Amino acid sequence: MLRGLLATGGIVLVGAGAAVGGFFFVSHYLRLIHAPRWAFGVTTLVYALIVTAVAFTAAWAGRRQMRMRQTAAMLRYSRRFAAVMALYVAVLLGVLFAWASARPTGVWAASLAVAPAIPLIGAIVVMGLYLREESDELQRLVFAEAALWATGGMLAIANVWGFLEMFRIVPYVPAWAAFVVWAVCLGPGFVIAWRRYQ
């Protein structure tokens, strides 16, 4: 079972890493060739769909490998998470197209810029609701420990990258990437947390 969990974690890391790396590479290339705004929208849509697919594949494979029973709280979590991720994709695309067509300024620009973060904050709330509603103590404990490992991994990566960035060794990465890095670290976090309870 551990081998399967490690394989699942590896697939998640490779998939999410490829999605994030590909997104930055393609975005940089599109800027270099002065591509039209719709090209950025399509790139963002593909990126968002890949990251969402990787997240759901990780959750499905992880539950299957861990032989976890599907509780009512877990079903509610899956539905809510799917809803906020779909909203995230829709809002992100809407903001990109609104920005390209209207060139907003002032409060309108700030409102549009913040809008894609709201569904991601909703995803954090959904995770908190799951921890509160889950009656199976083992599943709640595994989820909480995995989230702590993911947080530690994200903080470690951000810390190292920040110093490399400060000395101009690596390129600048926007702060929103922290959520993506945390989500990628969640897969290995589940592997580490569940290993303790086998």
Side-chain angles (χ1 to χ4, degrees):
M1 183 165 63
L2 178 60
R3 187 179 298 171
L5 285 171
L6 290 173
T8 300
I11 291 168
V12 170
L13 281 173
V14 170
V20 174
F23 177 71
F24 282 117
F25 175 79
V26 172
S27 296
H28 181 67
Y29 175 73
L30 290 174
R31 282 192 196 93
L32 287 178
I33 64 170
H34 304 291
R37 296 283 179 181
W38 65 263
F40 288 98
V42 170
T43 301
T44 304
L45 174 62
V46 171
Y47 153 77
L49 291 175
I50 290 173
V51 169
T52 303
V54 166
F56 278 106
T57 301
W60 175 81
R63 282 199 302 267
R64 186 170 178 186
Q65 289 291 339
M66 296 175 196
R67 309 287 195 265
M68 294 174 97
R69 65 184 181 86
Q70 192 84 335
T71 64
M74 194 177 290
L75 288 170
R76 285 193 298 274
Y77 166 74
S78 298
R79 286 194 297 267
R80 291 167 179 166
F81 191 78
V84 295
M85 289 310 290
L87 183 61
Y88 167 66
V89 172
V91 170
L92 184 58
L93 287 174
V95 166
L96 284 172
F97 288 117
W99 201 281
S101 59
R103 299 286 185 178
T105 58
V107 175
W108 175 235
S111 300
L112 278 177
V114 169
I118 294 171
L120 293 181
I121 293 169
I124 297 168
V125 172
V126 165
M127 292 176 200
L129 287 173
Y130 168 71
L131 285 173
R132 190 180 72 181
E133 295 172 357
E134 180 58 76
S135 57
D136 187 313
E137 291 184 12
L138 177 60
Q139 293 193 39
R140 189 170 61 236
L141 184 60
V142 167
F143 192 96
E145 285 193 21
L148 286 172
W149 279 109
T151 302
M154 184 267 294
L155 290 173
I157 291 168
N159 190 39
V160 171
W161 192 275
F163 281 111
L164 290 171
E165 189 179 284
M166 185 171 73
F167 293 106
R168 305 192 194 294
I169 297 169
V170 296
Y172 165 77
V173 173
W176 59 257
F179 188 91
V180 178
V181 171
W182 184 88
V184 170
C185 290
L186 192 59
F190 271 113
V191 174
I192 296 168
W194 189 258
R195 188 176 180 185
R196 294 183 55 196
Y197 302 104
Q198 289 186 44

